[in-house]
Amino acid sequence: MSSEHETQPEAEVIEFSVVESKEATEPRIDVDIDGVRVVVPDGSDVDPERLIEENRRWVLEKQHKYEQYREQVPERRFEVGETFPYLGDPHEVVVEQRPAAEVADGKLRLAQHHVKQTSIKRALKTLYRRKARERFAQRADHYAEEMSVEYQQIEIRNQRTKWGSCSTTGTLGLNWRLMMAPPEIIDYVVIHELAHLRETNHTNAFWSLVAEYDPDCKEHAGWLDDHSSRLIFSKEDL
């Protein structure tokens, strides 16, 4: 359930929606490329406008950040010879006679028959998603064992600015575009979401748990904040 609102002190309007959530345990403000949302637990008597005003500076900073984010989106051409990031390194797009697409020798090797049936763009996205499922499962299994937690399943998702999620039922939602980021960034997101199986909210205990398994988590979170526009696959992601 949601509704639309706006607030306008200090001459700058902040438009926002209010979403009631059964899973939320406390109110929060989400700001992303789609706008501003105040998420409140079902039946909460929290005043959304007051919450926005109390966090006005933070909300405006986030909004301005996403305005810059749109301007930084890379121009990509889906052609043979173009390069796309894969695990943080540039890889050349190649189309060749082969039974299935693969990543090898610094190249994204697409199967000619698949490209003919669809397009380079579609074949490339399919390859990324397949590799994402393989790598995410391997890393999640690795860290789940280390952290003594159990997840139920992994869903490969395509949110525009959200990299991971963890449901109360133990489903990890991980964005396939993370395959364009360096390996340590993928591990950070996996650890972050698995940590939610022990600590639901972003408390000090939560961040201590994340830091236990990723000592450089602050730097990795900062990398995502600063470089997430590099992980945009195409203009359609906006």
Side-chain angles (χ1 to χ4, degrees):
M1 178 178 175
S2 66
S3 55
E4 301 295 326
H5 301 262
E6 67 177 40
T7 181
Q8 191 180 2
E10 300 182 20
E12 188 160 2
V13 173
I14 297 178
E15 296 182 350
F16 63 96
S17 61
V18 178
V19 179
E20 292 186 4
S21 169
K22 293 180 180 179
E23 293 192 354
T25 57
E26 59 184 27
R28 71 175 190 271
I29 302 172
D30 289 342
V31 184
D32 60 26
I33 204 164
D34 293 320
V36 181
R37 291 178 302 284
V38 177
V39 181
V40 298
D42 271 351
S44 172
D45 59 359
V46 170
D47 181 351
E49 289 194 11
R50 182 176 178 180
L51 190 62
I52 288 288
E53 286 309 309
E54 289 174 348
N55 296 277
R56 163 170 280 275
R57 178 174 296 181
W58 178 84
V59 172
L60 289 175
E61 286 177 354
K62 283 285 190 179
Q63 283 187 309
H64 295 156
K65 170 188 164 185
Y66 281 111
E67 288 171 6
Q68 295 175 343
Y69 176 87
R70 285 182 177 276
E71 297 171 359
Q72 295 168 356
V73 172
E75 290 288 339
R76 300 201 191 279
R77 293 186 301 171
F78 295 89
E79 301 173 359
V80 170
E82 287 298 302
T83 61
F84 284 75
Y86 181 84
L87 295 181
D89 294 323
H91 281 58
E92 182 184 354
V93 175
V94 172
V95 177
E96 57 192 13
Q97 291 277 6
R98 57 183 306 113
E102 193 50 79
V103 182
D105 303 321
K107 300 183 188 299
L108 300 165
R109 300 182 176 276
L110 306 181
Q112 190 174 64
H113 71 275
H114 190 194
V115 171
K116 284 184 177 180
Q117 291 170 357
T118 57
S119 65
I120 287 179
K121 182 178 180 180
R122 182 67 64 84
L124 196 57
K125 186 174 181 178
T126 299
L127 175 59
Y128 271 112
R129 290 181 67 97
R130 173 164 59 82
K131 289 297 184 180
R133 184 168 294 281
E134 293 172 3
R135 189 173 189 91
F136 295 166
Q138 190 272 330
R139 302 313 288 159
D141 288 348
H142 170 78
Y143 283 111
E145 182 176 359
E146 284 199 357
M147 299 168 71
S148 298
V149 296
E150 291 185 10
Y151 70 93
Q152 294 301 312
Q153 62 178 334
I154 292 175
E155 291 184 354
I156 305 301
R157 296 183 179 168
N158 186 37
Q159 299 104 316
R160 285 176 281 187
T161 56
K162 189 170 185 178
W163 302 112
S165 63
C166 180
S167 73
T168 54
T169 58
T171 294
L172 304 182
L174 298 170
N175 195 318
W176 67 265
R177 291 189 290 108
L178 281 168
M179 290 301 292
M180 291 190 274
E184 62 269 20
I185 303 302
I186 295 174
D187 283 3
Y188 160 70
V189 175
V190 169
I191 291 167
H192 182 116
E193 300 312 331
L194 288 173
H196 279 305
L197 294 172
R198 284 171 53 183
E199 298 287 342
T200 305
N201 298 311
H202 292 117
T203 60
N204 289 337
F206 169 85
W207 288 113
S208 293
L209 179 60
V210 173
E212 181 180 349
Y213 295 94
D214 181 7
D216 296 322
C217 59
K218 288 184 179 180
E219 289 81 359
H220 296 154
W223 190 96
L224 274 175
D225 281 342
D226 295 339
H227 301 99
S228 57
S229 61
R230 295 185 188 179
L231 309 185
I232 291 293
F233 183 64
S234 73
K235 294 285 188 180
E236 294 174 3
D237 290 340
L238 298 176

